[in-house]
């Protein structure tokens, strides 16, 4: 059983930055960030493998950076140049196995979410 706890959400103006953290109790091969805006489906933001391979959604490429530190059991999401459309509840997620993708149904461990608000 893997437990995930997010932190770091908050309110920021468009163009600003936030860094989200996710503390986990055990490392898994695939770790990811998802987000869900009100009235919308949850969408994948980025994932990182245990080998530090990263994949990003097109909407955040060049602005967001996902990283992990297995020694400290921390998953990070650095978000720069934030836009109002980035506002959502952000969730960290984890799965085992060795095949990663940004499909919500693949992930069996989830955090409780942290809210990000971006004002224009």
């Amino acid at each position: 059983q893997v437990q995930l706890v997010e932190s770091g959400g908050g309110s920021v103006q468009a163009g600003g930055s936030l860094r989200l953290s996710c503390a986990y109790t055990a490392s898994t091969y695939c770790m990811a960030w998802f987000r869900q805006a009100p009235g919308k489906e949850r969408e994948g933001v980025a994932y990182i493998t245990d080998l530090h391979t990263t994949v990003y959604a097109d909407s955040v490429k060049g602005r967001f950076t996902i990283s992990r530190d297995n020694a400290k059991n921390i998953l990070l999401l650095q978000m720069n140049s934030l836009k109002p459309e980035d506002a959502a509840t952000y969730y960290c997620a984890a799965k085992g196995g060795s095949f990663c993708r940004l499909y919500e149904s693949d992930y069996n461990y989830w955090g409780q979410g942290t809210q990000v608000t971006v004002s224009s």
Side-chain angles (χ1 to χ4, degrees), residues 57-78:
D58 288 343
S59 59
V60 306
K61 277 181 185 176
R63 301 187 299 119
F64 290 12
T65 302
I66 187 172
S67 61
R68 64 192 290 176
D69 185 337
N70 285 342
K72 297 180 180 179
N73 284 10
I74 290 284
L75 176 71
L76 298 172
L77 184 69
Q78 178 66 44

Side-chain angles (χ1 to χ4, degrees), residues 2-10 19-25 31-36 42 73-77 79 88-94 109-116:
V2 179
Q3 295 182 334
L4 307 167
V5 179
E6 302 96 335
S7 61
R19 188 175 77 165
L20 305 183
S21 298
C22 173
Y24 49 88
T25 56
M31 299 203 73
W33 287 97
F34 287 78
R35 67 186 182 186
Q36 187 169 22
R42 193 174 298 187
N73 284 10
I74 290 284
L75 176 71
L76 298 172
L77 184 69
M79 306 187 294
T89 299
Y90 283 71
Y91 300 88
C92 69
Y109 302 107
W110 292 86
Q112 82 289 351
T114 185
Q115 189 165 357
V116 171

Side-chain angles (χ1 to χ4, degrees), residues 11-17 80-86 117-120:
S11 296
V12 65
Q13 288 190 327
S17 298
N80 298 329
S81 302
L82 282 160
K83 304 175 181 180
E85 52 263 42
D86 294 318
T117 304
V118 184
S119 58
S120 57

Side-chain angles (χ1 to χ4, degrees), residues 26-49:
S27 177
T28 59
Y29 188 79
C30 308
M31 299 203 73
W33 287 97
F34 287 78
R35 67 186 182 186
Q36 187 169 22
K40 295 188 176 181
E41 293 186 354
R42 193 174 298 187
E43 63 173 354
V45 174
Y47 75 71
I48 183 168
T49 72

Side-chain angles (χ1 to χ4, degrees), residues 46-57:
Y47 75 71
I48 183 168
T49 72
D50 204 40
L51 301 177
H52 298 273
T53 298
T54 57
V55 167
Y56 296 90

